[in-house]
Amino acid sequence: MLEVLELSKTYGHIAALRGVSLRVERGQLLGFLGPNGAGKTTTMRSVFGLVAPDSGQVRWGGNEITEEARLRFGYMPEERGLYPRMRNLDQVAYFGMLHGMSRHNAESEAARWLSEFGLADRAKDRLEELSHGNQQRLQLAAALVHSPDLLVLDEPFAGLDPLGVAAMGEILATQANAGTAVIFSSHQLDLVEDLCDDVVIINEGSVALAGAVRQLRAAAPHRHLQLEVRDAPTDWIDTLRGAAVIARDGDRVRLDVSEGVELSTLLEAAQEAGDVVEFSYEPPSLNEVFLAAVGQ
Ligand code: ATP
C-alpha cells in the first residue's frame, strides 16, 4: 500500500502542498483530482523522490521508500520523459533495464507491450515519428514494462482520441484488477466516474474530499431532478419551492432540489403544469461534487 502522510511543500511564497494525505491499496484504482495548480504533480513527484517535501512522509508497505522499492514503481510523468530520437522498442526496453530487468527480458516485454498498443510495426521507428497519442501509449509502455507494483500516472488521458481513452482506461483497470496499486490524475471527471471506485480531490494543496465516488455523490446535500414537461406555461417552474433551475433546454429543465423537499409534491406540480415526459431524480455527478468541493 502507498501512503502519503501529511505532505507539505513550499516554493518561495507558494504553498504547493499543505498536509496532503492519501493512500492507495494494491488492486485499487484511485482518481486524483484537483484544479490546475492544486498540487497533484507535486504529490506524485514526491512519491518518486523528485520533490523533497518540507515535511510529511511517503511510505510503501508501511516502510520508508527505498531505491529498491522504487524500482518496482512505474511512473508516467506529465512532462513526458522519453527520448525523441531513440527507437521505440529500444526505448521501452531501456526503461525495463533501468528497473532491473535483463536485456532479454526487457526486450521481450517491450515487444509485448508495443504489440498490445498496436505499435508492433513501429518498433524500429523513432519516438519523434509517432503521433502525440502514440507517443503517449509508448510512455505508458515504458511505465508498465517491468510489471510495477505501483503505477502513478499524471494525466494519462490528456490528448488521447476516444479510442485511445477507452484503451487506456481498460489497461488501467486491468492493471488494478491484477493487483497493482494505480493512482492517476485527470481533469476528465466523467471518465474518472466510470473508471474509479475511489477519488481524492485536492484544492490549493489540501485534500478537499476523499472517498468512494458512490458515497461522495450520495452524501451530497442536494439532488438533481431532470424534468421534461410539455405544453406547460413558461413560468411554472418559478413557483416551485426548494428547487432551483440549473439548466434549461426548451421543455427540459435540470433542477437542484434541497434535502427534505417531497418528490411527490414536485411531481404533482409538474403534472398540473403539463404533460410530464421525463422525471428522473439522481445525486449530483462527480463533476458537480468536484465543483462544490473546490468552491465553485
Ligand atoms: P495541473 O493540473 O495544472 O497539472 P497540479 O495540481 O499538478 O496542476 P502542481 O504542478 O503540483 O499542480 O503545482 C502546485 C503549485 O506549486 C502551483 O502553484 C505551481 O505553480 C507550484 N509549483 C510546482 N512546482 C514548482 C516549482 N518547481 N517551482 C515553483 N513553483 C512550483
Side-chain angles (χ1 to χ4, degrees):
M1 187 211 317
L2 176 77
E3 290 170 289
V4 168
L5 302 166
E6 292 289 324
L7 275 197
S8 291
K9 176 71 184 173
T10 303
Y11 293 105
H13 63 280
I14 297 171
L17 302 180
R18 310 166 196 239
V20 168
S21 296
L22 58 86
R23 47 168 62 193
V24 197
E25 315 257 358
R26 293 191 68 146
Q28 190 184 8
L29 182 54
L30 181 75
F32 191 29
L33 317 177
N36 290 132
K40 302 178 297 294
T41 299
T42 307
T43 305
M44 290 178 166
R45 287 171 65 84
S46 303
V47 173
F48 291 87
L50 301 169
V51 162
D54 301 331
S55 61
Q57 271 189 339
V58 185
R59 294 176 160 263
W60 174 251
N63 302 309
E64 231 172 88
I65 298 176
T66 58
E67 278 309 311
E68 200 187 351
R70 227 171 241 140
L71 289 179
R72 305 284 318 133
F73 295 176
Y75 184 33
M76 184 170 172
E78 189 178 27
E79 70 300 343
R80 311 298 186 210
L82 298 181
Y83 302 100
R85 311 219 49 159
M86 203 164 169
R87 298 193 191 281
N88 295 324
L89 184 114
D90 294 346
Q91 178 129 233
V92 176
Y94 172 70
F95 275 83
M97 288 187 277
L98 283 183
H99 285 89
M101 297 171 86
S102 69
R103 175 177 295 275
H104 176 75
N105 218 353
E107 284 177 353
S108 77
E109 280 300 287
R112 188 172 72 79
W113 278 110
L114 255 59
S115 155
E116 178 91 8
F117 289 132
L119 293 172
D121 58 338
R122 312 297 304 267
K124 290 201 158 63
D125 291 347
R126 298 177 203 281
L127 179 81
E128 63 189 6
E129 297 170 64
L130 296 181
S131 70
H132 173 79
N134 281 337
Q135 291 192 18
Q136 191 108 319
R137 288 178 179 88
L138 204 77
Q139 183 87 55
L140 180 63
L144 284 171
V145 64
H146 59 297
S147 309
D149 299 330
L150 168 71
L151 192 53
V152 177
L153 310 111
D154 206 343
E155 299 193 27
F157 295 98
L160 291 181
D161 67 20
L163 285 177
V165 165
M168 176 72 77
E170 210 173 300
I171 286 165
L172 300 194
T174 305
Q175 288 293 311
N177 281 336
T180 310
V182 185
I183 175 169
F184 70 98
S185 63
S186 178
H187 295 294
Q188 286 154 274
L189 302 190
D190 47 345
L191 199 73
V192 174
E193 187 164 355
D194 286 345
L195 210 53
C196 298
D197 289 334
D198 305 286
V199 291
V200 170
I201 300 174
I202 65 168
N203 190 32
E204 296 180 353
S206 302
V207 175
L209 208 56
V213 176
R214 210 159 41 86
Q215 283 170 7
L216 296 179
R217 291 182 61 206
H222 289 248
R223 292 282 170 281
H224 288 165
L225 184 61
Q226 186 75 39
L227 255 184
E228 183 171 349
V229 184
R230 299 217 177 122
D231 304 324
T234 46
D235 62 347
W236 80 272
I237 290 280
D238 305 332
T239 60
L240 291 178
R241 289 222 187 114
V245 177
I246 309 171
R248 196 191 286 256
D249 176 17
D251 291 338
R252 299 190 84 210
V253 280
R254 190 166 171 83
L255 300 175
D256 183 291
V257 181
S258 314
E259 236 173 349
V261 171
E262 286 290 335
L263 273 191
S264 54
T265 317
L266 294 178
L267 181 58
E268 272 168 30
Q271 281 169 331
E272 266 171 36
D275 192 7
V276 179
V277 179
E278 185 184 356
F279 188 92
S280 64
Y281 188 61
E282 54 187 40
S285 65
L286 179 61
N287 194 38
E288 288 157 335
V289 168
F290 173 90
L291 291 175
V294 303
Q296 285 173 33

